[in-house]
Amino acid sequence: MKIAFTTSDRIHINSHFGSAKEIDVYEINAEGYQFLETLNFEGDLKEDGNEDKVAPKLAALADCAIVYVVAIGGTAAAKLIKKGVTPVKARSEEESISELLNKLVQTLKGNPPPWLRKALLPKTKNFADEIEDEATV
């Protein structure tokens, strides 16, 4: 699964979702993790209630299961959840991406908590796909 981290230094989870200029994306499974890419965002990203700034991030994170943030507004969190992406707040701005990834790998090897099991489930593409699947049962 893909996991994203809002970061300004590519080491720590230290950016607010809405104002993050960089989001690092990793692929993770029970065997380990691998860096995939850094998503870059430009423009007016100040924490001012401008919800249009999150649209490109929502689109870019659509195939991620989880995004770790230092903070996130309620509207942006709801939009992520609607897209099937679970937002998770970091414990602090000092939390290291690599330490968290190592902990997640260990968790995936064992018995993941319910929220993580839910995040691991395949995403439904849209409401029409859901109706079509129900109709064929």
Side-chain angles (χ1 to χ4, degrees):
M1 81 175 148
K2 288 184 181 179
I3 297 183
F5 301 90
T6 59
T7 183
S8 64
D9 62 7
R10 304 193 65 204
I11 297 169
H12 300 97
I13 306 160
N14 59 4
S15 294
H16 184 285
F17 180 76
S19 60
K21 292 185 178 190
E22 296 178 340
I23 299 178
D24 282 355
V25 180
Y26 290 79
E27 182 73 37
I28 185 170
N29 58 40
E31 279 73 53
Y33 62 88
Q34 172 183 333
F35 173 77
L36 295 179
E37 65 182 321
T38 297
L39 304 171
N40 292 296
F41 301 94
E42 299 191 13
D44 184 13
L45 299 174
K46 294 182 187 118
E47 299 171 38
D48 61 0
N50 173 13
E51 294 304 323
D52 292 337
K53 68 184 173 198
V54 302
K57 292 177 183 173
L58 294 171
L61 296 171
D63 61 344
C64 290
I66 301 168
V67 60
Y68 281 87
V69 300
V70 121
I72 187 168
T75 303
K79 288 179 179 183
L80 277 171
I81 291 166
K82 187 175 180 182
K83 295 242 180 218
V85 181
T86 303
V88 178
K89 286 188 180 180
R91 291 190 181 120
S92 78
E93 292 186 27
E94 298 303 312
E95 189 160 20
S96 162
I97 293 171
S98 62
E99 285 178 24
L100 187 66
L101 284 165
N102 286 322
K103 287 178 190 174
L104 281 170
V105 168
Q106 292 305 312
T107 301
L108 290 173
K109 288 180 181 180
N111 186 16
W115 73 267
L116 186 53
R117 285 196 300 267
K118 183 178 180 187
L120 292 169
L121 294 174
K123 293 180 190 177
T124 305
K125 294 293 181 199
N126 60 41
F127 182 72
D129 290 343
E130 287 183 30
I131 297 299
E132 186 176 314
D133 289 345
E134 284 184 16
T136 58
V137 173

PDB file of all heavy atoms in Angstrom, residues 84-97:
ATOM      1  N   GLY A  84     -11.203   7.764   0.435  1.00  0.00           N
ATOM      2  CA  GLY A  84     -10.639   6.494   0.887  1.00  0.00           C
ATOM      3  C   GLY A  84      -9.235   6.596   1.439  1.00  0.00           C
ATOM      4  O   GLY A  84      -8.536   5.599   1.570  1.00  0.00           O
ATOM      5  N   VAL A  85      -8.790   7.819   1.746  1.00  0.00           N
ATOM      6  CA  VAL A  85      -7.458   8.046   2.307  1.00  0.00           C
ATOM      7  C   VAL A  85      -7.630   8.394   3.786  1.00  0.00           C
ATOM      8  O   VAL A  85      -8.390   9.299   4.124  1.00  0.00           O
ATOM      9  CB  VAL A  85      -6.724   9.194   1.577  1.00  0.00           C
ATOM     10  CG1 VAL A  85      -5.331   9.400   2.159  1.00  0.00           C
ATOM     11  CG2 VAL A  85      -6.658   8.933   0.077  1.00  0.00           C
ATOM     12  N   THR A  86      -6.938   7.671   4.654  1.00  0.00           N
ATOM     13  CA  THR A  86      -7.046   7.900   6.092  1.00  0.00           C
ATOM     14  C   THR A  86      -6.010   8.918   6.550  1.00  0.00           C
ATOM     15  O   THR A  86      -4.808   8.654   6.455  1.00  0.00           O
ATOM     16  CB  THR A  86      -6.844   6.579   6.866  1.00  0.00           C
ATOM     17  OG1 THR A  86      -7.806   5.621   6.406  1.00  0.00           O
ATOM     18  CG2 THR A  86      -6.991   6.786   8.366  1.00  0.00           C
ATOM     19  N   PRO A  87      -6.438  10.101   7.042  1.00  0.00           N
ATOM     20  CA  PRO A  87      -5.473  11.052   7.583  1.00  0.00           C
ATOM     21  C   PRO A  87      -5.122  10.675   9.024  1.00  0.00           C
ATOM     22  O   PRO A  87      -5.987  10.301   9.806  1.00  0.00           O
ATOM     23  CB  PRO A  87      -6.222  12.387   7.537  1.00  0.00           C
ATOM     24  CG  PRO A  87      -7.672  12.018   7.583  1.00  0.00           C
ATOM     25  CD  PRO A  87      -7.795  10.641   6.996  1.00  0.00           C
ATOM     26  N   VAL A  88      -3.833  10.744   9.364  1.00  0.00           N
ATOM     27  CA  VAL A  88      -3.368  10.415  10.712  1.00  0.00           C
ATOM     28  C   VAL A  88      -2.441  11.534  11.172  1.00  0.00           C
ATOM     29  O   VAL A  88      -1.507  11.908  10.447  1.00  0.00           O
ATOM     30  CB  VAL A  88      -2.609   9.064  10.736  1.00  0.00           C
ATOM     31  CG1 VAL A  88      -2.081   8.765  12.133  1.00  0.00           C
ATOM     32  CG2 VAL A  88      -3.494   7.938  10.244  1.00  0.00           C
ATOM     33  N   LYS A  89      -2.697  12.055  12.377  1.00  0.00           N
ATOM     34  CA  LYS A  89      -1.831  13.109  12.920  1.00  0.00           C
ATOM     35  C   LYS A  89      -0.589  12.489  13.547  1.00  0.00           C
ATOM     36  O   LYS A  89      -0.678  11.526  14.300  1.00  0.00           O
ATOM     37  CB  LYS A  89      -2.578  13.929  13.967  1.00  0.00           C
ATOM     38  CG  LYS A  89      -3.598  14.866  13.369  1.00  0.00           C
ATOM     39  CD  LYS A  89      -4.167  15.781  14.420  1.00  0.00           C
ATOM     40  CE  LYS A  89      -5.187  16.714  13.806  1.00  0.00           C
ATOM     41  NZ  LYS A  89      -5.763  17.615  14.807  1.00  0.00           N
ATOM     42  N   ALA A  90       0.555  13.081  13.230  1.00  0.00           N
ATOM     43  CA  ALA A  90       1.819  12.656  13.841  1.00  0.00           C
ATOM     44  C   ALA A  90       1.816  13.060  15.307  1.00  0.00           C
ATOM     45  O   ALA A  90       1.114  13.991  15.709  1.00  0.00           O
ATOM     46  CB  ALA A  90       2.989  13.316  13.112  1.00  0.00           C
ATOM     47  N   ARG A  91       2.604  12.361  16.101  1.00  0.00           N
ATOM     48  CA  ARG A  91       2.690  12.693  17.536  1.00  0.00           C
ATOM     49  C   ARG A  91       3.318  14.058  17.764  1.00  0.00           C
ATOM     50  O   ARG A  91       2.975  14.763  18.690  1.00  0.00           O
ATOM     51  CB  ARG A  91       3.478  11.615  18.263  1.00  0.00           C
ATOM     52  CG  ARG A  91       2.721  10.317  18.314  1.00  0.00           C
ATOM     53  CD  ARG A  91       3.407   9.320  19.238  1.00  0.00           C
ATOM     54  NE  ARG A  91       2.650   8.091  19.224  1.00  0.00           N
ATOM     55  CZ  ARG A  91       3.139   6.927  18.852  1.00  0.00           C
ATOM     56  NH1 ARG A  91       4.401   6.826  18.504  1.00  0.00           N
ATOM     57  NH2 ARG A  91       2.377   5.862  18.847  1.00  0.00           N
ATOM     58  N   SER A  92       4.291  14.409  16.905  1.00  0.00           N
ATOM     59  CA  SER A  92       4.948  15.716  17.010  1.00  0.00           C
ATOM     60  C   SER A  92       5.651  16.006  15.689  1.00  0.00           C
ATOM     61  O   SER A  92       5.778  15.128  14.839  1.00  0.00           O
ATOM     62  CB  SER A  92       5.972  15.727  18.144  1.00  0.00           C
ATOM     63  OG  SER A  92       7.161  15.071  17.741  1.00  0.00           O
ATOM     64  N   GLU A  93       6.125  17.231  15.551  1.00  0.00           N
ATOM     65  CA  GLU A  93       6.873  17.606  14.358  1.00  0.00           C
ATOM     66  C   GLU A  93       8.239  16.946  14.313  1.00  0.00           C
ATOM     67  O   GLU A  93       8.938  17.013  13.312  1.00  0.00           O
ATOM     68  CB  GLU A  93       7.012  19.129  14.269  1.00  0.00           C
ATOM     69  CG  GLU A  93       5.708  19.826  14.003  1.00  0.00           C
ATOM     70  CD  GLU A  93       5.877  21.320  13.769  1.00  0.00           C
ATOM     71  OE1 GLU A  93       6.966  21.745  13.317  1.00  0.00           O
ATOM     72  OE2 GLU A  93       4.912  22.046  14.021  1.00  0.00           O
ATOM     73  N   GLU A  94       8.638  16.334  15.408  1.00  0.00           N
ATOM     74  CA  GLU A  94       9.932  15.646  15.474  1.00  0.00           C
ATOM     75  C   GLU A  94       9.817  14.171  15.098  1.00  0.00           C
ATOM     76  O   GLU A  94      10.827  13.468  15.048  1.00  0.00           O
ATOM     77  CB  GLU A  94      10.522  15.779  16.873  1.00  0.00           C
ATOM     78  CG  GLU A  94      10.804  17.217  17.282  1.00  0.00           C
ATOM     79  CD  GLU A  94      11.744  17.932  16.315  1.00  0.00           C
ATOM     80  OE1 GLU A  94      12.788  17.355  15.959  1.00  0.00           O
ATOM     81  OE2 GLU A  94      11.424  19.064  15.907  1.00  0.00           O
ATOM     82  N   GLU A  95       8.594  13.685  14.852  1.00  0.00           N
ATOM     83  CA  GLU A  95       8.431  12.267  14.513  1.00  0.00           C
ATOM     84  C   GLU A  95       9.097  11.974  13.168  1.00  0.00           C
ATOM     85  O   GLU A  95       8.842  12.646  12.173  1.00  0.00           O
ATOM     86  CB  GLU A  95       6.946  11.877  14.478  1.00  0.00           C
ATOM     87  CG  GLU A  95       6.750  10.390  14.348  1.00  0.00           C
ATOM     88  CD  GLU A  95       5.380   9.920  14.787  1.00  0.00           C
ATOM     89  OE1 GLU A  95       4.434  10.724  14.855  1.00  0.00           O
ATOM     90  OE2 GLU A  95       5.267   8.728  15.052  1.00  0.00           O
ATOM     91  N   SER A  96       9.951  10.987  13.162  1.00  0.00           N
ATOM     92  CA  SER A  96      10.735  10.632  11.983  1.00  0.00           C
ATOM     93  C   SER A  96       9.935   9.717  11.058  1.00  0.00           C
ATOM     94  O   SER A  96       9.315   8.750  11.495  1.00  0.00           O
ATOM     95  CB  SER A  96      12.012   9.926  12.437  1.00  0.00           C
ATOM     96  OG  SER A  96      12.594   9.214  11.390  1.00  0.00           O
ATOM     97  N   ILE A  97       9.986  10.035   9.766  1.00  0.00           N
ATOM     98  CA  ILE A  97       9.298   9.218   8.764  1.00  0.00           C
ATOM     99  C   ILE A  97       9.840   7.793   8.778  1.00  0.00           C
ATOM    100  O   ILE A  97       9.071   6.829   8.783  1.00  0.00           O
ATOM    101  CB  ILE A  97       9.438   9.859   7.366  1.00  0.00           C
ATOM    102  CG1 ILE A  97       8.671  11.186   7.319  1.00  0.00           C
ATOM    103  CG2 ILE A  97       8.954   8.909   6.282  1.00  0.00           C
ATOM    104  CD1 ILE A  97       8.919  12.009   6.070  1.00  0.00           C
TER     105      ILE A  97
END
